[in-house]
Amino acid sequence: MEKNYDVIVTGARCAGSALTIYLAKAGFKVLLVDKATFPSDTLSTNTFFNNTTALLRDLGVLDEVLKTKVTPVKSIKFQFEDTVIEGPIPVVAGEDTAYCIRRTHLDDILIRKAGSMENVTVLEGFRVKELIYDGDVVAGVKGEDSSGALREFRASLIVGADGRHSIVRKLVRSKQKIISPSTVAIYFGYFSNFQHDGEAKFEVYKRGKNMAILFPTNENNYVVTANFPLSDKGLKEKFKQNSEESLRQLLTEHFPNTTIGARLTTATLIEPIRGLHQYENYWYEGMGKGWALIGDAICFKDPAMAQGIHDAIRGAQLLADILKRYDNQLSQWDQIGEEYQQAIEAEFMVRFYMGCELSKNEPISEQQDAVNKLISAHPAVIEKFLGIYNYANEPSDFEAELVKVMDTIS
């Protein structure tokens, strides 16, 4: 048995590294482990809004993020059928700029920051195999390091920040609270020489049951994404056989009233197309005796919401704030767990349900089309609509602004 820690964090990407940084600042002794070595990639939209920019500044890593030649983004464009809703991203915490940064950069920056802090030990290439128990309380981890040696570590709290397929969540048998299967397939690729639509912006296009999502990222490249129904088995088979040709064809032919096709003509795919399908929106119990979950380990929603990186970092901040208040009284699991569950559900649940609705992939109805046209014609409503995505306001604030406009024209 090796030396003890206050907290062991399993998973060193944005959720785990952010939690480690927050806890280290508060004086906790932390062991941060990950089965991967860094820098390395992972499935991600790579995208976050300016509320997350504020969090990265608070973590002390924003300057390093900006050194990666990431494209600054200050506006968003939605096009639902032929209706365009476009505007500047509302300012949050003094920040007006969003980014789409490759995870090879972001996760590496965060883990290096965590590893530079006093009271932090980082162990890459360590695969957790089992949990250690004292009675019914999780008290440590057993695993295999990069050399194949078996090692054990103990701590007062074990945190699973290990993603959608969390081994910690599986081993503690966390209770599943909500599940909502997605009906869409997602394929995306990284392209060079993909021109901006006037200026760099986040772009989302919805036509029928298909969607295109375009995010400018590092080195003047773009993440180009196509979403289509899982029920379209013919299209699914085409993507399996030739994903690049299928993505280009779908986005060119299905979105003719956009600039996407022309921009794809001059663009070059720089990495193989990647896909995600048959995924689920889910929510799990977040804490038990000696364990907790953050990031995708506790909840996951449709990637088109582009909230995963934010939820990971903000969730880490919420958990760290609670742990700091209890400090050396981490054995009060019921009380801490209830407080954590309430905090994280209050923060993320509304947008989680938005993701669940998005995953149903319903075509835009005549009524919704009329609402979209109304939104597009009123800057104040556009601002409230866009502000849902960066927490500048809540969906209820947008709805109130929309009702106000509707009342003036009724």
Side-chain angles (χ1 to χ4, degrees):
M1 182 73 65
E2 303 193 36
K3 61 182 180 180
N4 295 348
Y5 296 86
D6 297 317
V7 180
I8 297 173
V9 180
T10 69
R13 295 194 181 273
C14 50
S17 287
L19 178 64
T20 299
I21 295 167
Y22 285 126
L23 292 178
K25 286 182 177 181
F28 286 80
K29 185 179 180 182
V30 184
L31 172 64
L32 176 63
V33 304
D34 199 296
K35 64 184 179 182
T37 57
F38 295 83
S40 58
D41 206 359
T42 188
L43 280 173
S44 176
T45 63
N46 307 291
T47 302
F48 55 85
F49 296 92
N50 48 326
N51 55 329
T52 316
T53 302
L55 292 173
L56 293 173
R57 187 182 296 280
D58 180 59
L59 285 167
V61 300
L62 185 59
D63 288 345
E64 289 298 313
V65 166
L66 299 182
K67 291 177 184 177
T68 65
K69 298 181 181 178
V70 64
T71 302
V73 175
K74 297 191 176 186
S75 62
I76 312 176
K77 176 183 179 180
F78 288 91
Q79 183 168 329
F80 302 115
E81 299 295 348
D82 294 327
T83 302
V84 175
I85 300 172
E86 183 173 0
I89 299 172
V91 175
V92 172
E95 303 287 350
D96 65 356
T97 309
Y99 299 95
C100 176
I101 178 172
R102 294 293 303 267
R103 296 293 294 275
T104 47
H105 294 303
L106 180 61
D107 295 343
D108 188 51
I109 290 169
L110 284 166
I111 193 174
R112 284 192 285 107
K113 174 67 175 180
S116 72
M117 303 189 72
E118 190 175 357
N119 290 332
V120 172
T121 301
V122 174
L123 187 57
E124 300 178 47
F126 180 83
R127 186 178 295 273
V128 174
K129 299 285 191 179
E130 300 177 42
L131 298 178
I132 300 167
Y133 281 82
D134 283 343
D136 61 348
V137 179
V138 177
V141 298
K142 297 180 182 179
E144 188 177 276
D145 67 17
S146 57
S147 70
L150 297 176
R151 302 176 69 178
E152 301 180 5
F153 303 94
R154 281 184 170 266
S156 300
L157 177 68
I158 311 302
V159 179
D162 47 348
R164 289 192 302 129
H165 304 293
S166 170
I167 184 65
V168 173
R169 186 183 69 216
K170 177 182 177 181
L171 292 173
V172 300
R173 298 181 181 177
S174 173
K175 180 182 177 182
Q176 188 178 81
K177 298 169 70 69
I178 306 170
I179 187 167
S180 177
S182 172
T183 65
V184 298
I186 302 174
Y187 283 85
F188 67 95
Y190 297 95
F191 287 80
S192 65
N193 300 316
F194 191 91
Q195 302 302 311
H196 298 316
D197 181 40
E199 63 179 3
K201 64 188 74 166
F202 293 157
E203 304 169 59
V204 179
Y205 301 84
K206 170 81 170 176
R207 185 167 181 260
K209 287 196 171 186
N210 296 334
M211 184 179 289
I213 304 173
L214 315 174
F215 293 147
T217 184
N218 305 87
E219 306 286 350
N220 295 316
N221 297 324
Y222 259 78
V223 184
V224 178
T225 305
N227 294 7
F228 61 88
L230 279 171
S231 57
D232 192 337
K233 295 182 179 178
L235 186 55
K236 195 171 158 186
E237 186 60 32
K238 286 182 180 178
F239 266 84
K240 287 182 178 179
Q241 292 176 2
N242 191 326
S243 54
E244 180 183 357
E245 180 182 311
S246 299
L247 184 142
R248 287 179 179 273
Q249 183 177 3
L250 175 63
L251 296 189
T252 299
E253 295 180 358
H254 195 76
F255 299 92
N257 55 344
T258 71
T259 63
I260 300 173
R263 293 155 73 190
L264 274 173
T265 300
T266 61
T268 301
L269 182 69
I270 59 175
E271 294 177 22
I273 299 288
R274 303 173 76 179
L276 175 66
H277 45 80
Q278 294 183 323
Y279 61 91
E280 298 169 333
N281 302 275
Y282 59 74
W283 198 293
Y284 282 85
E285 183 180 20
M287 182 175 280
K289 294 181 177 180
W291 61 269
L293 304 174
I294 57 172
D296 286 351
I298 184 172
C299 61
F300 178 84
K301 56 183 169 291
D302 196 289
M305 287 292 294
Q307 296 292 317
I309 292 174
H310 170 265
D311 290 3
I313 297 174
R314 175 59 177 149
Q317 187 181 48
L318 289 171
L319 179 57
D321 286 345
I322 291 170
L323 296 178
K324 283 187 288 185
R325 288 200 297 274
Y326 284 88
D327 197 10
N328 293 322
Q329 303 174 50
L330 293 184
S331 59
Q332 300 181 38
W333 300 119
D334 291 342
Q335 186 174 342
I336 301 174
E338 183 178 354
E339 189 173 336
Y340 176 54
Q341 197 75 36
Q342 288 176 353
I344 205 161
E345 290 186 9
E347 188 81 13
F348 302 137
M349 190 61 81
V350 170
R351 287 162 184 81
F352 172 80
Y353 279 121
M354 289 176 63
C356 291
E357 288 301 310
L358 192 60
S359 282
K360 293 177 182 177
N361 198 30
E362 298 291 342
I364 295 169
S365 65
E366 289 186 14
Q367 182 181 11
Q368 185 60 57
D369 185 58
V371 170
N372 291 339
K373 285 179 168 57
L374 187 62
I375 296 169
S376 70
H378 295 84
V381 185
I382 292 175
E383 181 180 0
K384 293 296 184 184
F385 175 72
L386 299 182
I388 293 171
Y389 291 86
N390 71 345
Y391 286 71
N393 53 259
E394 291 302 307
S396 58
D397 300 314
F398 156 68
E399 291 164 6
E401 190 69 33
L402 182 61
V403 168
K404 191 189 302 181
V405 169
M406 294 173 70
D407 287 343
T408 65
I409 61 176
S410 61

